[in-house]
Structure formats: structure tokens, C-alpha cells
Amino acid sequence: MKKIYILLAFFAPFWLCAQDEQDLLSLLGEEKTTNYATASFKTNRVINGHSIENTAGGVLDFKISHRFTPLRQGIYDIFGLDGANIRFGFDYGITNRLMVGVGRSNKEKIYDGFAKYKILRQCSGKKNIPVTVSYLVDSQIKSVAFSDKQRDNKFSSRVYYTHQLLVGRKFSERLSLQLMPTLLHRNLTTTPDDKNDVVAIGAAGRVKLTKRIAFNAEYYYVPEGQIATAYNNALSVGVDIETGGHVFQLHFTNTRDMTYKGFITETDESWFFKNSEGRLLSGLCFGFNVSRVFTIKKPKGLE
Amino acid sequence: MKKQISVILVCIAIAATVSAQNFFTRDGKVKFDATSPSSPEKIEALSKTGSCVIDAATGKMQWAVLVKGFQFEKALMEEHFNENYMESSKFPKATFSGQITNLQEVLLGKDGTYNAVVTGKMTVHGITKDITANGALTVAGGTIKLNAGFSLLLSDYGVDIPSLVSDKIAKEAKILIDATLAPLK
């Protein structure tokens, strides 16, 4: 019996050493880190509206967007390319979680400005949060001349506000989905029957097709009884194509607006409709966003 | 009986101290450089959270680096590195497990600077390859400082470079190691 103990005692060091040799790193203990979900969408916009992604801190994102007139006129106006609504804008990441941006659209000569903050970031590991939640506040100022100059026109009549909560999740490398409850305030409406406050809900998703190409879809639903004039819900689908420093977003949509108040409350085309003669027509328009990023402030601590 | 148990315990304790001749770091610097002469911008990243353990008795060395821990100057480049090249959500870690092969020349118990040759298995992007690297190993005041540089052929590790940018990214990534290991208690 004694011999066995001595034998055991003799071999114990080897046995312990052998264990160490197998995985030295395990001696450091399981170091749990928080793994944040990144790149749920290729850019900070899905198509017309925002995505849960932000421009990184210190990075400037220059965007040029076009929405052409409906394809239905065919070759006569080269499938809508003859007429374009244009928006260009600059987005800047103040931190990785807070970004701001400004833009200008030719339709109604609208200036827009926004701030977006990531309240929660989807992560797993040490910390576990199932979704990313962002808050967006955006205002749009219509600078086109007032149609009736005799009237007592106020500056406030030009202003529109949007508040949006973006709740999204990257379900897998391929699939990301988000919901966007939205409140839009119009200081001045077209008719007295229009509500100043319009509530809408958006849904959007992206399916990554290859490493550099993704399919996106975005839909905004406006419950009835809020807008007096004829309108349609905006549905847009498209692809994101990523090259080195650019992201090209090419899409088909029934809205020609790139501002919140435009695509939520003023979309007048629909994907398919019958005209008075009963012919099936389409209000689809082609459009694109091009995004180019510039690193303005380099991150610290890289030697 | 009690005596025998205590003998075993003492032996285990001795064994523990013997095997405690391990050195470690959690903040080793690992630099990655895939800049090619025709790159329009430098393709460089730094991780300051490389983990390494060396067993002084056997000369075994292990490394683990989180791929997402590499910081680039350009956020977009960092995103592409993770999303398109390293696929870091699928392969979160790069690891190395090997051995100082010239341990008779590298005296880990004695202050001095030695040229160490390390051979082992490198796992990057889910693919394991044998590699050998030379580096300077400095023992000073109970710590071990490692400085090494070596190259990894990206295609060896299944890192695809699209033909469109193939001349803008080096075929071989240079890896520089700078770490100071302290005794592991």
C-alpha cells in the first residue's frame, strides 16, 4: 500500500506537468470578453431610412443619392433617368455610438440634419444584449419659396421633425432585421384634415449574398386616418455592393423622396396599379446611394 | 495514513511550484502589416491583447490573439478585415502552439539576450500550418521579453483576396511580436 502512495507521489509532478503542457493558455483562466455584433448593415442607411449601423468615430461619410422618375415611360425618358431627385449629404461619427449628419435635397430645396445615438449594442459573451437600439432625431427644413407670398408665412411652417427608434438584430452572418417605430411631426399640413403628428412603423432587413453584396428591403407602414391626401406606403428593395472605400446601393422603390417626411407621408406612386383604362402599370423608380468614407480623426494608441 | 497523504500533498505542492515556472502576458503587442508596394494606403493593424504563456522547463510556447482585437487606422478597413478576409465571427482567434527548439542555448533562468528559434503550429482563419520563426528573447529581472517578426502567406490560410485588389494587398502579411512576459504565479 505504502509503495503505491510513494509511486503516486513520485509521478504526481509529471502528471501535473503533462497537464500544463497540453494547454498552457488555460493557465491564464477563461478570459471572457464582450463580443459586439458589427456590420449588421453595410452602411448607416438601409435604403431611404437609417439602419442600426453608425459611421465610426472620426469618420466622414459623403453620400450622393438619386431617385429617378418611374420606369414606365420606357425608352422615351430612358427608364426614368431623365428626371432625378438628388440628395447629397455628409455624415460624421463623433464617437462610435454618436453620429450627426446634414443633407440637401433638390425636391422642395430641403435641408436636413440629424443625430443618431446607439443606446444599446447587440453583444454576447461577458455582456449579453440581444438587440441594438438606436435613437434618431431628424429635422427637415423646406427652403423652397412659399407659394402664397401674401399670406403671413412663418419659418416654423417649413420645419418637420422625425423621431425614430431603431431596434435591430444581426441574427446570423447572413441575416439582419430591424423595426423602426417612427413619429413624424409636421408644423404645417396641406389640409386641416391632416394630422400634424404622423405615426409610422418601418421594417427592414438585409440578406448578405456574398462577402461584398447584400440584398436589402425596407418598408414603412403608415396607419390610415393620419394623412388626408392620397399616399402610399413606401416599399424599397435593392442591393448593396461594396468595393474598397465605396458602398453602392442600387434599388427599386415607389418613393422618390430621401427625407423622412417625404417617403413616409408623401409617397404617391405604388409598385403596381391599374390606370383608368384598366391597364396594369408600375410606379417603380430606380435609384442609388453612393457612400464614400474618409478617416478624419485617426484612432489613438496605434503607436 | 495521514503521513502518507501529507507526503502526497507536499509532492503536489512541489510539483505545482516546479510547473509554475511559467511566464505569461495578456497584453502582448501583435502587429499585422499587409501593405504592398502598390497599396494606396497602409494596411496595418495592431492588437495589444495577445496572450502568451511559456513553460520555462520545457520551452513550450502558446499564443492566442483575438482577431477582432486588431485595430486599424481606418474603421472601414477594420470592418473589411473582420468581415471579408478573416471572417472573425467564424474564426475569432488566431493561435500558435509550439516549442523553443534551441532551449540549450536559450537560458530562461539567466539574464541575457538570446536568439530563439520557435517551431510550431499556427492557426489562422481556421487553417493550421507549421511555421518556424526566429526572434530575440531577453531575460531580465525575472521577465522574458520577446521580439520577433515573421511572414504568413495569406493564401496558405485560405484568406481570399479578390482579383480587383490583388495588387493592393501584399501576398504575405508581416507579423511583428513585441511582448513582455512575467512569471505566472
Side-chain angles (χ1 to χ4, degrees):
Chain A
M1 194 64 192
K2 211 173 180 180
K3 275 182 185 157
I4 292 173
Y5 282 122
I6 290 169
L7 218 65
L8 251 176
F10 182 71
F11 281 114
F14 295 98
W15 176 67
L16 282 172
C17 278
Q19 268 219 326
D20 288 349
E21 279 166 18
Q22 278 185 348
D23 193 4
L24 288 171
L25 284 168
S26 65
L27 295 177
L28 296 182
E30 189 59 33
E31 208 185 346
K32 265 204 155 180
T33 49
T34 304
N35 188 17
Y36 290 101
T38 54
S40 311
F41 288 85
K42 291 248 184 247
T43 84
N44 55 30
R45 309 299 161 98
V46 182
I47 288 171
N48 294 311
H50 279 260
S51 76
I52 50 175
E53 286 304 320
N54 274 37
T55 301
V59 174
L60 180 75
D61 183 349
F62 174 53
K63 284 183 195 295
I64 294 187
S65 307
H66 283 53
R67 299 292 182 274
F68 299 98
T69 50
L71 301 164
R72 61 173 173 261
Q73 295 216 58
I75 204 71
Y76 175 68
D77 69 348
I78 180 159
F79 300 94
L81 296 193
D82 282 350
N85 281 350
I86 302 166
R87 177 185 181 273
F88 64 90
F90 296 92
D91 296 349
Y92 183 71
I94 294 172
T95 69
N96 282 337
R97 298 176 77 163
L98 175 67
M99 65 178 288
V100 293
V102 290
R104 170 69 155 71
S105 305
N106 64 343
K107 187 190 170 187
E108 297 178 320
K109 305 189 188 300
I110 292 175
Y111 291 92
D112 63 81
F114 71 87
K116 182 163 80 171
Y117 183 72
K118 264 192 197 185
I119 301 166
L120 293 176
R121 292 178 292 171
Q122 181 189 338
C123 57
S124 57
K126 201 161 139 194
K127 263 201 295 183
N128 249 308
I129 303 174
V131 290
T132 295
V133 178
S134 284
Y135 170 64
L136 169 84
V137 55
D138 184 309
S139 62
Q140 302 107 56
I141 301 166
K142 206 159 78 173
S143 75
V144 69
F146 283 108
S147 52
D148 183 354
K149 292 203 171 56
Q150 306 309 314
R151 210 167 55 177
D152 176 23
N153 290 310
K154 294 186 171 67
F155 175 77
S156 63
S157 308
R158 300 182 173 279
V159 188
Y160 300 78
Y161 301 98
T162 310
H163 299 271
Q164 185 170 56
L165 213 56
L166 300 112
V167 182
R169 177 171 167 81
K170 187 177 190 178
F171 286 91
S172 69
E173 272 310 290
R174 239 160 226 277
L175 179 71
S176 305
L177 295 174
Q178 64 173 37
L179 280 175
M180 305 84 83
T182 309
L183 172 71
L184 201 130
H185 179 83
R186 308 180 281 178
N187 278 342
L188 182 70
T189 60
T190 330
T191 71
D193 294 336
D194 276 287
K195 295 256 170 36
N196 289 95
D197 289 319
V198 175
V199 176
I201 174 99
R206 87 102 195 239
V207 178
K208 211 170 157 185
L209 302 173
T210 71
K211 280 179 187 168
R212 291 171 182 82
I213 299 175
F215 172 80
N216 281 355
E218 180 188 65
Y219 180 65
Y220 277 90
Y221 172 72
V222 186
E224 278 172 39
Q226 305 185 88
I227 303 168
T229 42
Y231 73 98
N232 285 299
N233 293 318
L235 172 65
S236 317
V237 297
V239 287
D240 287 2
I241 302 166
E242 184 189 323
T243 65
H246 293 86
V247 178
F248 294 91
Q249 299 185 293
L250 312 176
H251 31 255
F252 292 105
T253 169
N254 62 327
T255 183
R256 298 189 60 226
D257 284 283
M258 290 154 278
T259 54
Y260 273 92
K261 73 109 181 161
F263 65 79
I264 289 180
T265 68
E266 292 163 16
T267 299
D268 50 4
E269 292 286 353
S270 54
W271 271 54
F272 297 104
F273 63 98
K274 278 194 171 136
N275 68 356
S276 52
E277 296 157 26
R279 256 186 80 203
L280 187 70
L281 290 173
S282 168
L284 274 189
C285 309
F286 174 68
F288 68 79
N289 304 339
V290 178
S291 145
R292 165 84 205 176
V293 295
F294 303 91
T295 302
I296 303 294
K297 238 174 73 187
K298 289 173 183 169
K300 281 179 202 147
L302 296 179
E303 288 180 315
Chain B
M1 184 69 187
K2 263 190 182 160
K3 206 176 174 189
Q4 281 148 359
I5 289 175
S6 55
V7 166
I8 291 174
L9 283 176
V10 166
C11 286
I12 290 175
I14 291 168
T17 45
V18 167
S19 65
Q21 282 182 323
N22 289 323
F23 292 84
F24 84 106
T25 181
R26 281 198 183 89
D27 49 12
K29 281 186 192 162
V30 181
K31 198 173 150 191
F32 164 91
D33 183 352
T35 313
S36 82
S38 50
S39 297
E41 47 201 355
K42 54 180 182 176
I43 306 170
E44 266 182 14
L46 178 68
S47 165
K48 292 177 182 171
T49 54
S51 292
C52 174
V53 177
I54 294 178
D55 181 343
T58 60
K60 292 217 181 280
M61 180 192 283
Q62 286 188 352
W63 276 91
V65 185
L66 272 178
V67 177
K68 273 197 177 173
F70 279 96
Q71 272 198 302
F72 287 73
E73 247 178 35
K74 297 201 163 145
L76 190 69
M77 202 184 278
E78 190 171 312
E79 189 179 311
H80 291 165
F81 175 77
N82 283 295
E83 286 279 301
N84 301 343
Y85 295 98
M86 298 295 285
E87 299 177 89
S88 59
S89 51
K90 246 196 268 176
F91 311 108
K93 275 181 187 172
T95 59
F96 172 80
S97 179
Q99 169 87 45
I100 301 172
T101 52
N102 58 339
L103 204 62
Q104 63 282 2
E105 294 155 37
V106 181
L107 308 172
L108 294 173
K110 201 177 150 207
D111 282 8
T113 298
Y114 310 95
N115 179 33
V117 182
V118 178
T119 298
K121 292 189 183 309
M122 177 75 78
T123 305
V124 175
H125 194 234
I127 294 176
T128 304
K129 292 270 168 194
D130 289 318
I131 73 157
T132 297
N134 288 316
L137 191 156
T138 306
V139 180
T143 64
I144 297 178
K145 196 165 156 30
L146 294 177
N147 280 94
F150 54 92
S151 291
L152 299 178
L153 192 63
L154 294 176
S155 57
D156 274 358
Y157 295 91
V159 178
D160 293 336
I161 299 171
S163 52
L164 205 67
V165 292
S166 61
D167 60 326
K168 299 190 174 73
I169 300 173
K171 303 268 176 294
E172 279 196 329
K174 275 180 255 160
I175 310 291
L176 292 174
I177 305 277
D178 176 7
T180 304
L181 285 75
L184 181 67
K185 280 164 198 125

